[in-house]
Amino acid sequence: MMHIRISLGVILLWALVALLAPVLPLSPNTIDLPQILVSGNPDEWLGYDDLGRPVFDRLLTGARTSFLVAVAVVGISLIVGSLLGTVGAYAGGWLDLVLVRVMDVFLAFPGILLAIALAGVMGPGIDNVVIALSVVSWVGYARLARAQVLSMKERDHVHAAVAIGAAPLHIVARHLLPLISAPLIVEASFGLASVVIGEAGLSFLGLGVQPPAASWGSMIRDGARYMLVAPHMVIAPGLALMAVVLSVNVLGDRLRDWLDVKSPVKGEGEKTP
Amino acid sequence: MVKPMIDLKLLGVLALMVVGSACADLVSDAFRFGLAGAPANLDPRFATDATSDRINRLLYDRLVDFNDAFEPVPSLADWEQLSPTHYRFHLKTKKHPFHDGTVLTASDVKATYDFVLNPANASPHRAALAVIDRIVARNKTSLDFVLHRPEPLFPGYLVIGIVPARLIAARHPFHEHPVGSGPFAFLARPDETRLHLIRIRDQRRFEFIAVPDPTVRALKLMAGEIDMLQNDLPPELTGYLENDPRLKVQRTSGTNFSYLGFSFEDAVTGQALVRRAIAHAIDRQEIILYVLGSAARPAQSLLPPEHWAGARDLKPIPYDPEEARALLRRAGYSPDHPARIVYKTSSDPFRIRLATILQRQLQQIGIAVNLRSYDWGTFYGDIKAGRFQMYSLAWVGIQTPDIFDYVFHSESVPPRGANRGRFHSTRADAFIDRARTAPNLAAKRRWYVQLQHHLADALPYVPLWYEDHIFIARREIEGFTVARDGNYDGLAQVRRSSPDAP
């Protein structure tokens, strides 16, 4: 149970920092050239980056960027992908066929290349990164939702709901979506990490966060160049990213167990005899 | 019947072992040079990137080279000027033959330049040689170049590597299998990241290995997987390697000119007062000290002061933020109404780092800078098309002062030249035109020096610095001399000291 609490604490801290970063007394963009790559000390315990900026301040500011991008992209992708996949699978026929073909077209492109192309066309900026990554990410959720619904819609309780005259919208909302939410949440937990990495890649190419703004991904990218001389530049954002991704995965896994009616674990301390 | 078969197999295995051990010896004896990027084109008639140019200098000989003052000096040939439009070149007799064994003659020189001048071949070097009217091979060792108009700088244009006429006629793929007459011969290119050459005088093998990531390149050097490298490392990494007792570092002043460029069609950067304010707002000394690791010197003009046409009396623009703020006020800007500039740079992490510092320094005088970094293709495309307010770039390998014509003349707006900011100055045009038609180098120098003073006032570029060349090698590597233009010619003299040497 301890690991659940720790994970929950990490995610809450991440969210809290992301929300409060604008009002905290931080100076993430203050360049102090004599401090370049100075490692941690009692005054600045995470040290300074390659422009003499405090790594701690940038870590907190970067948390906000990574959080907003990750939540926005995963949120948009999850909603859009799940809806399209569910509707297509439940409706079947030509609508499902068109949706599958559209998904095939998206899957035919390597995801990051498509994101680069989109972000390149739309221009640099964090809002365009959210759009580009969402366009790439929705397909995974749609495919998963469709596969789940295709198996679920033949179940007895769905047939029963159809037999008593329940509306399709009601069936999808009450009898299908709750059952397919577990794998979608697990997929979202993995998606969260890949979105942070994707944002870093786009920022590195000049299509995402623009200097001097900070994100964890761009901090890792910048720090990787100084691994030999200033490992603190990459260790701090790397550990932060790892902690967040691990925590999201642990919570996602726990949530899946909790939502799965067949799971032997159902809520805190409850076990099947 | 069985026994002979076994013997044959045994022989085969033994042969493989012998060949394998020979190859292992070759590899272990080879000098391995780390590159940031592979050479793009090993055909000197088409190569334009710096790495290709440096490798091609090893593979091919050229008629003319440059001394430390950037004056043209004989390389493959001496020359005499018969008239203002007529040059005669005499090939030196003691030069290497081509690597295929044939002798380099005047016909090969003529064939090489005729190929470049033929519009159908679309050589990127054709425009620079447009002054040539015709080439006449007089005999095996001498040939004449006849020009459309007098050009005292002309010998300095003949720096393209010479390739065999016979192979040109046969449409030989020089980019895949180079054949020149330089001190190194092509051996193999196993893949895009590796190039194997052999030094002709002692048959020593050289491997050029492209390792894009600077940290990995440094680690390979420390581990002995490569023996040496030059440039393309962050200064901090250079300092780190300098402290490694297994390595040694050599530096020399470079001539690659870093600058800020401006659009003259823009309402903000088109104002001389704003450009002058920017020039005073940049603390070059602090950047050179802390960011470039003192491996650069402040620049005052496109040509360094040691260049024969350089303006030696021109001083770098001083850092003076108060003056910069005053100039901005005169231009009509204030904290309530700041000048806003979009600053474009490439996505190279080190360039972004420098740009971020410049952004901060400009913000301190009241200019709101929006920094945009792009991948190289997008960035360079925007610059060539004039889609920018301000950008930073560097001119690499500048040898002759006709670069001013190419960069600053009103008629050199792309695609005709590189006047990307659309700088139009009748005074600059007049200086360039006079320098172009001046009858000798001394007269040209006078006009070019006056032009550089005018450019220092008009500021189509804000000069930043000339970055040094830094060569780092394993301690046992000896004999390399770092060239001012960063070429790899020193590899011709490189040797490995014996392990028990002090």
Side-chain angles (χ1 to χ4, degrees):
Chain A
M1 209 41 225
M2 180 62 78
H3 65 288
I4 300 293
R5 287 183 182 151
I6 293 173
S7 301
L8 199 59
V10 169
I11 299 301
L12 286 175
L13 186 65
W14 184 35
L16 199 67
V17 166
L19 295 173
L20 294 180
V23 295
L24 293 174
L26 304 174
S27 51
N29 301 327
T30 303
I31 293 172
D32 188 3
L33 297 186
Q35 300 287 351
I36 283 177
L37 299 185
V38 170
S39 57
N41 57 63
D43 294 331
E44 193 57 54
W45 54 284
L46 285 185
Y48 295 85
D49 72 357
D50 58 340
L51 289 170
R53 299 173 296 194
V55 171
F56 181 74
D57 291 14
R58 293 186 66 74
L59 193 69
L60 298 192
T61 315
R64 180 177 171 80
T65 310
S66 301
F67 181 83
L68 293 180
V69 172
V71 168
V73 172
V74 171
I76 293 170
S77 307
L78 182 63
I79 293 167
V80 172
S82 304
L83 277 178
L84 289 176
T86 304
V87 168
Y90 189 77
W94 64 267
L95 183 61
D96 187 41
L97 192 68
V98 168
L99 276 171
V100 168
R101 291 293 165 263
V102 171
M103 283 190 272
D104 285 345
V105 169
F106 274 87
L107 287 170
F109 292 103
I112 192 67
L113 279 186
L114 186 57
I116 289 169
L118 287 169
V121 169
M122 293 184 292
I126 204 71
D127 45 352
N128 288 340
V129 165
V130 170
I131 296 170
L133 290 175
S134 301
V135 168
V136 171
S137 304
W138 71 272
V139 186
Y141 299 100
R143 228 166 40 134
L144 185 60
R146 180 176 175 276
Q148 292 288 317
V149 170
L150 282 178
S151 70
M152 295 284 177
K153 75 174 187 179
E154 299 303 331
R155 294 229 177 142
D156 290 344
H157 73 285
V158 178
H159 285 304
V162 173
I164 62 173
L169 192 63
H170 176 83
I171 294 171
V172 167
R174 293 294 303 275
H175 300 295
L176 290 176
L177 278 180
L179 288 176
I180 67 169
S181 60
L184 285 172
I185 288 169
V186 175
E187 174 81 359
S189 69
F190 287 111
L192 212 62
S194 63
V195 168
V196 174
I197 301 297
E199 179 272 320
L202 292 177
S203 294
F204 178 75
L205 291 173
L207 300 168
V209 172
Q210 290 297 291
S215 74
W216 287 351
S218 61
M219 287 175 73
I220 291 171
R221 287 276 185 180
D222 292 345
R225 303 182 74 238
Y226 303 99
M227 283 273 281
L228 288 175
V229 289
H232 65 272
M233 265 187 75
V234 73
I235 287 174
L239 286 176
L241 183 62
M242 189 189 76
V244 164
V245 172
L246 194 62
S247 301
V248 170
N249 283 343
V250 166
L251 286 181
D253 204 33
R254 180 69 180 175
L255 200 59
R256 184 189 61 80
D257 289 346
W258 189 75
L259 291 170
D260 188 354
V261 290
K262 291 182 186 170
S263 172
V265 179
K266 178 78 176 172
E268 188 180 350
E270 185 182 342
K271 289 187 179 175
T272 50
Chain B
M1 282 299 289
V2 174
K3 195 163 177 151
M5 287 292 286
I6 293 170
D7 288 347
L8 279 175
K9 282 180 183 172
L10 196 65
L11 273 174
V13 170
L14 282 172
L16 279 173
M17 285 171 68
V18 169
V19 171
S21 62
C23 287
D25 285 342
L26 267 176
V27 170
S28 63
D29 282 351
F31 288 102
R32 287 152 301 186
F33 194 102
L35 298 170
N41 198 328
L42 295 176
D43 186 337
R45 301 166 301 170
F46 293 98
T48 53
D49 64 296
T51 305
S52 299
D53 186 52
R54 288 165 182 166
I55 301 275
N56 284 341
R57 284 179 64 90
L58 304 176
L59 290 167
Y60 303 92
D61 278 318
R62 64 217 73 83
L63 290 183
V64 174
D65 217 332
F66 294 94
N67 62 16
D68 282 347
F70 300 89
E71 294 161 332
V73 291
S75 177
L76 194 60
D78 291 308
W79 70 86
E80 55 183 320
Q81 188 173 3
L82 304 178
S83 78
T85 58
H86 191 176
Y87 289 81
R88 178 161 295 165
F89 285 77
H90 303 282
L91 299 183
K92 294 179 181 175
T93 52
K94 286 188 179 174
K95 277 286 169 183
H96 301 292
F98 283 121
H99 303 145
D100 63 356
T102 57
V103 178
L104 192 157
T105 67
S107 301
D108 299 307
V109 178
K110 174 177 163 53
T112 301
Y113 280 96
D114 280 344
F115 181 94
V116 171
L117 290 168
N118 185 349
N121 294 321
S123 166
H125 304 297
R126 181 172 167 267
L129 296 168
V131 70
I132 298 174
D133 179 27
R134 64 183 184 280
I135 304 165
V136 181
R138 299 178 66 242
N139 52 47
K140 282 193 171 181
T141 58
S142 81
L143 74 165
D144 289 352
F145 284 84
V146 181
L147 311 183
H148 290 297
R149 57 175 169 77
E151 179 49 88
L153 296 176
F154 175 68
Y157 297 172
L158 302 180
V159 291
I160 295 174
I162 305 302
V163 294
R166 179 179 60 84
L167 295 182
I168 294 175
R171 298 188 172 277
H172 178 78
F174 288 97
H175 63 286
E176 289 175 359
H177 197 282
V179 180
S181 60
F184 289 76
F186 175 79
L187 211 54
R189 193 163 193 182
D191 55 57
E192 274 303 303
T193 63
R194 289 182 297 159
L195 171 67
H196 297 175
L197 306 184
I198 191 160
R199 189 164 61 190
I200 291 169
R201 74 172 164 82
D202 58 2
Q203 298 297 299
R204 292 300 298 267
R205 184 185 171 105
F206 282 70
E207 296 179 12
F208 294 86
I209 305 165
V211 184
D213 187 90
T215 304
V216 177
R217 205 158 59 250
L219 286 170
K220 281 180 177 286
L221 183 63
M222 291 165 68
E225 289 181 38
I226 56 176
D227 297 307
M228 56 198 130
L229 54 83
Q230 185 175 288
N231 297 340
D232 300 315
L233 287 182
E236 292 80 8
L237 214 46
T238 302
Y240 180 80
L241 296 178
E242 211 161 14
N243 292 328
D244 190 322
R246 297 166 298 178
L247 307 175
K248 59 184 176 184
V249 177
Q250 285 175 256
R251 299 165 190 266
T252 195
S253 294
T255 55
N256 294 345
F257 171 73
S258 297
Y259 66 92
L260 288 176
F262 304 96
S263 169
F264 278 68
E265 293 177 345
D266 181 78
V268 180
T269 54
Q271 297 182 62
L273 289 171
V274 173
R275 297 194 302 277
R276 173 70 50 189
I278 290 170
H280 282 299
I282 297 168
D283 190 346
R284 294 167 185 74
Q285 292 293 359
E286 189 183 39
I287 294 173
I288 288 171
L289 177 63
Y290 291 113
V291 184
L292 298 173
S294 299
R297 54 187 166 141
Q300 58 286 317
S301 175
L302 206 159
L303 296 182
E306 65 270 21
H307 194 286
W308 66 266
R312 291 174 193 117
D313 55 341
L314 211 53
K315 300 291 179 218
I317 300 165
Y319 172 58
D320 189 346
E322 283 310 315
E323 173 69 9
R325 289 189 191 95
L327 287 165
L328 276 184
R329 279 195 296 274
R330 281 174 55 197
Y333 297 105
S334 65
D336 298 331
H337 172 54
R340 296 185 185 279
I341 294 176
V342 173
Y343 173 11
K344 291 188 176 181
T345 187
S346 73
S347 56
D348 177 89
F350 189 63
R351 299 298 147 193
I352 294 177
R353 188 181 174 197
L354 288 170
T356 310
I357 295 169
L358 297 179
Q359 177 192 40
R360 183 73 181 169
Q361 293 186 345
L362 296 183
Q363 278 172 345
Q364 284 170 345
I365 65 155
I367 297 178
V369 177
N370 185 353
L371 183 56
R372 300 278 177 89
S373 63
Y374 298 89
D375 66 282
W376 174 253
T378 307
F379 169 65
Y380 197 50
D382 280 0
I383 300 308
K384 285 195 290 188
R387 288 191 294 268
F388 59 84
Q389 267 186 297
M390 185 173 89
Y391 69 96
S392 53
L393 254 178
W395 280 105
V396 178
I398 300 302
Q399 304 277 16
T400 54
D402 55 339
I403 184 73
F404 288 114
D405 190 349
Y406 184 64
V407 173
F408 295 120
H409 199 285
S410 302
E411 294 177 358
S412 295
V413 170
R416 294 189 63 178
N419 186 350
R420 295 152 185 162
R422 277 67 178 167
F423 170 62
H424 294 285
S425 162
T426 49
R427 280 192 72 197
D429 290 351
F431 287 134
I432 292 168
D433 292 339
R434 285 169 190 163
R436 190 192 293 158
T437 55
N440 54 53
L441 294 185
K444 276 182 182 287
R445 175 179 150 67
R446 276 198 300 278
W447 291 119
Y448 280 128
V449 169
Q450 288 192 54
L451 169 67
Q452 288 169 84
H453 279 93
H454 172 63
L455 296 175
D457 288 332
L459 287 175
Y461 284 176
V462 165
L464 296 176
W465 44 74
Y466 307 108
E467 289 179 26
D468 291 352
H469 296 296
I470 300 172
F471 175 79
I472 310 176
R474 306 280 303 174
R475 193 154 284 282
E476 63 269 22
I477 300 295
E478 296 175 344
F480 189 88
T481 307
V482 189
R484 284 211 154 207
D485 64 355
N487 68 49
Y488 302 153
D489 292 6
L491 292 177
Q493 305 303 326
V494 153
R495 60 189 179 279
R496 202 189 301 270
S497 62
S498 57
D500 49 355

